């Protein structure tokens, strides 16, 4: 979608792009531009949509969820206009892949943003996340070797691994697993805190999926988290445990255990602004991160501020340069 520029000049202005990642639980906006140094983040915003609510039972995104999505898309469109983005890209992931009424979502996206709705396959999502996450994690960092990226979403979890060598990344493996936070919470937990047998069944399910899918992945390499779940977990670890740096197995084990015995209200109170629309599904997300770390026998857990929307922006700007 081409957006009319607001009147008045903008010092140092270069072409700006809006990328919107419509996930199972949130719809995230990035306004970015390309500079000689690479991608520059201009503005970011989020919005709670919970498209996956009841999706596993009905097979459809509900009217209530569609209404939430419309409101968030309208807000993101206005932000794109305000920040003078010239083009909008909108992508969908797990919930949109699964929904029988995905064409209704596509129509709404076109109505509210003027953009075609690009529903990514699981492998495409893993690849785009890998590109985006590494760009954020490696910014100013000296590293050479293998790395794994994990993105825990509301409907699915993507893992991608590759080699970083002399400033270039080569992806070697990628998988998408239907073990997202909303999906797991609805399928396994009847209350919060969850009952012990529910936790056991959920953990066994996640572990089985991970171990079956990650056999070709290298072990004992850094694991980089690229999702909201990972971002919020790092925030909790730094504020409530007064910790700094990367996380180890013992840290993930601590938080997975601690969160599973708390009520939704207790979890929300840990970080009210960050837990909005997330507190009820957050324990399941941390369980996924813990099992990914275990299955990969990761050396340590890092965080990247970039994800799908950043990866899509990188691809767009690079294609412009090539073209």
């Amino acid at each position: 979608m081409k957006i009319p520029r607001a009147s008045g000049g903008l010092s140092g202005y270069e072409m700006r792009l809006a990328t919107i990642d419509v996930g199972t639980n949130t719809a995230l906006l990035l306004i970015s531009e390309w500079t000689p140094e690479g991608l520059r983040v201009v503005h970011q915003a989020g919005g709670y949509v919970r498209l996956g609510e009841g999706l596993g039972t009905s097979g459809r995104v509900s009217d209530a969820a569609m209404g939430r999505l419309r409101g968030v898309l309208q807000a993101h469109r206005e932000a794109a206009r305000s920040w003078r983005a010239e083009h909008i890209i909108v992508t969908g992931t797990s919930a949109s892949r699964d929904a029988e009424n995905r064409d209704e979502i596509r129509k709404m996206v076109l109505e509210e943003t003027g953009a075609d709705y690009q529903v990514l396959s699981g492998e495409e999502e893993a690849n785009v996340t890998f590109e985006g996450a590494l760009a954020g994690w490696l910014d100013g960092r000296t590293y050479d070797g293998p790395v794994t990226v994990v993105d825990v979403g509301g409907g699915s979890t993507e893992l991608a691994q590759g080699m970083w060598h002399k400033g270039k990344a080569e992806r070697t493996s990628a998988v998408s697993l239907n073990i997202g936070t909303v999906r797991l919470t609805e399928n396994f937990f009847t209350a919060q805190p969850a009952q012990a047998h529910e936790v056991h069944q959920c953990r066994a399910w996640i572990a089985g999926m991970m171990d079956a899918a990650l056999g070709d992945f290298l072990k004992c390499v850094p694991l980089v988290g690229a999702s909201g779940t990972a971002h919020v977990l790092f925030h909790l670890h730094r504020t409530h445990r007064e910790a700094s740096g990367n996380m180890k197995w013992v840290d993930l084990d601590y938080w997975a255990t601690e969160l599973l015995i708390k009520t939704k209200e207790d979890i929300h109170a840990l970080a009210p602004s960050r837990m909005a629309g997330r507190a009820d599904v957050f324990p399941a997300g941390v369980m996924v991160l813990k099992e990914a770390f275990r299955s990969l026998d990761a050396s340590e857990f890092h965080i990247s501020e970039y994800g799908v929307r950043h990866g899509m922006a990188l691809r767009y700007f690079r294609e412009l340069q090539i073209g």
Side-chain angles (χ1 to χ4, degrees), residues 21-241:
D21 169 22
V22 178
T24 300
N25 197 47
T26 58
L28 306 175
L29 168 70
L30 167 71
I31 309 290
S32 63
E33 62 187 22
W34 191 256
T35 73
E37 291 74 34
L39 189 72
R40 187 176 84 86
V41 174
V42 176
H43 173 73
Q44 298 189 92
Y48 167 75
V49 294
R50 191 61 66 90
L51 290 190
E53 184 177 62
L55 180 61
T57 302
S58 68
R60 298 175 57 84
V61 172
S62 69
D63 291 344
M66 292 287 279
R68 291 191 292 267
L69 176 59
R70 186 180 295 277
V72 172
L73 288 175
Q74 290 172 349
H76 288 347
R77 179 194 64 208
E78 291 309 308
R81 188 185 306 276
S82 175
W83 286 97
R84 304 179 187 183
E86 293 186 272
H87 191 71
I88 294 180
I89 294 174
V90 187
T91 57
T93 53
S94 179
S96 297
R97 290 194 291 268
D98 293 347
E100 296 172 2
N101 57 336
R102 70 179 65 88
D103 286 343
E104 295 176 27
I105 305 174
R106 192 183 308 276
K107 180 181 178 182
M108 178 190 293
V109 168
L110 183 61
E111 290 173 350
E112 297 300 340
T113 69
D116 292 330
Y117 193 41
Q118 303 178 39
V119 179
L120 304 177
S121 70
E123 184 174 359
E124 287 173 332
E125 184 181 357
N127 290 338
V128 171
T129 302
F130 183 76
E131 294 177 31
L134 281 190
W137 180 59
L138 291 165
D139 185 21
R141 180 190 300 269
T142 300
Y143 179 77
D144 201 64
V147 61
T148 308
V149 170
V150 58
D151 180 2
V152 181
S156 64
T157 292
E158 281 66 45
L159 295 106
Q161 188 175 84
M163 298 295 296
W164 179 263
H165 182 61
K166 294 184 178 179
K168 294 183 179 180
E170 180 182 354
R171 187 193 55 75
T172 54
S173 302
V175 296
S176 178
L177 307 174
N178 285 332
I179 48 175
T181 62
V182 176
R183 192 189 300 266
L184 290 171
T185 300
E186 290 191 353
N187 287 350
F188 287 96
F189 301 154
T190 58
Q192 198 170 5
Q195 299 181 44
H197 73 277
E198 295 174 337
V199 173
H200 176 76
Q201 291 173 350
C202 184
R203 181 178 292 120
W205 177 261
I206 298 169
M209 294 279 282
M210 289 281 184
D211 292 344
L214 302 179
D216 292 335
F217 280 58
L218 295 175
K219 311 301 182 186
C220 302
V221 304
L223 180 64
V224 178
S227 65
T229 298
H231 296 166
V232 175
L233 179 60
F234 264 80
H235 172 76
L236 294 185
H237 192 58
R238 289 165 179 168
T239 55
H240 293 277
R241 300 276 284 175

Side-chain angles (χ1 to χ4, degrees), residues 235-271:
H235 172 76
L236 294 185
H237 192 58
R238 289 165 179 168
T239 55
H240 293 277
R241 300 276 284 175
E242 297 182 353
S244 61
N246 305 315
M247 297 177 71
K248 303 291 187 181
W249 163 258
V250 65
D251 303 317
L252 289 168
D253 184 57
Y254 168 84
W255 281 109
T257 302
E258 185 72 11
L259 291 164
L260 284 165
I261 61 174
K262 290 184 178 295
T263 65
K264 175 182 175 180
E265 292 72 24
D266 289 338
I267 294 173
H268 184 270
L270 291 172

